[in-house]
Structure formats: structure tokens, C-alpha cells
Amino acid sequence: MSKYRFGPPPREFTMKSVAVAVLSLALATPVFTVPVPADAQVMVGRGAARGAAPRRPALTPREENRLIEAEDAVWELEDQIAEIEAAESPTPEQQAQLPELRERLERETAVVERLTAKRDRRS
């Protein structure tokens, strides 16, 4: 009968067994590479057009502000026109304002269309 109750005696970890374990793990791992920055730049530019000019921002800050102002003006003018048209009996003063409001609405709408077309063309 053996002096160990649950099987053979435990093995001592030697330097040789640790080296064998490390070597087997190193050989078993899949090989992968990390591209260096120069390779990454080549990969990014692969589908780009040759000699293309760098893209400029879609709208300047001034144009963005003008677009926002024009959109706000369009909403306000539409509300004013709707109020006058919805009134049961608009005053002659309100009726005189309608052509002017519609003209301003057309101008602001043209500004919004022009700037949104420019923004969409650049993006």
C-alpha cells in the first residue's frame, strides 16, 4: 500500500517543466501583426481619389448662423400668415400685411434652400 492516499505523489515544478509549458503556449498562439502607422496610412488612402483637394467645412460659422436665423424667420412668418388667414374677419391692416409677409417668407425660404443645398453638397 502506498503512503499517499489519493494517488501518486505531487510532482515538483522544475525549471525544465516551466520552460516546456511556456514554449508550448508560445507555439500554440496564432500569429497576428499590428500594422505600423505608415502601413495604416497607405491602407486608408487606398480608395481615395488621386490629387483630390482637402474637403472644406460645409458652411462657415457665419453661414450657419444665417441659416439658423432664416429657418427661425420662416417658422415665425408661417405662423403669422396662418394666424391672419385663420382669423374670421381680418382687419384691413392685417390684409395689407399679407403680401409683405409672403414676400419676406419667399426671401427667407430661398436663403434656407441655398444654404442647405450648399451644406448638403459639401458633406
Side-chain angles (χ1 to χ4, degrees), residues 2-105:
S2 157
K3 67 180 190 178
Y4 297 102
R5 199 176 207 177
F6 300 108
R11 295 175 63 193
E12 295 286 328
F13 284 108
T14 62
M15 193 61 148
K16 182 179 177 183
S17 62
V18 171
V20 168
V22 168
L23 185 63
S24 64
L25 282 175
L27 292 176
T29 57
V31 176
F32 63 94
T33 60
V34 177
V36 294
D39 291 340
Q41 288 176 355
V42 170
M43 287 187 238
V44 168
R46 212 174 264 170
R50 302 285 180 232
R55 296 185 68 94
R56 292 185 298 186
L59 293 176
T60 64
R62 185 175 181 183
E63 289 172 329
E64 287 179 20
N65 291 337
R66 179 64 181 118
L67 176 61
I68 293 168
E69 290 170 1
E71 287 173 339
D72 290 343
V74 166
W75 292 330
E76 288 176 21
L77 290 168
E78 287 175 344
D79 288 344
Q80 290 176 2
I81 292 171
E83 284 178 16
I84 293 173
E85 290 176 344
E88 288 182 23
S89 57
T91 64
E93 183 180 294
Q94 289 175 329
Q95 289 177 348
Q97 285 180 342
L98 273 178
E100 180 188 334
L101 291 175
R102 286 192 177 118
E103 184 180 319
R104 285 179 48 204
L105 177 63

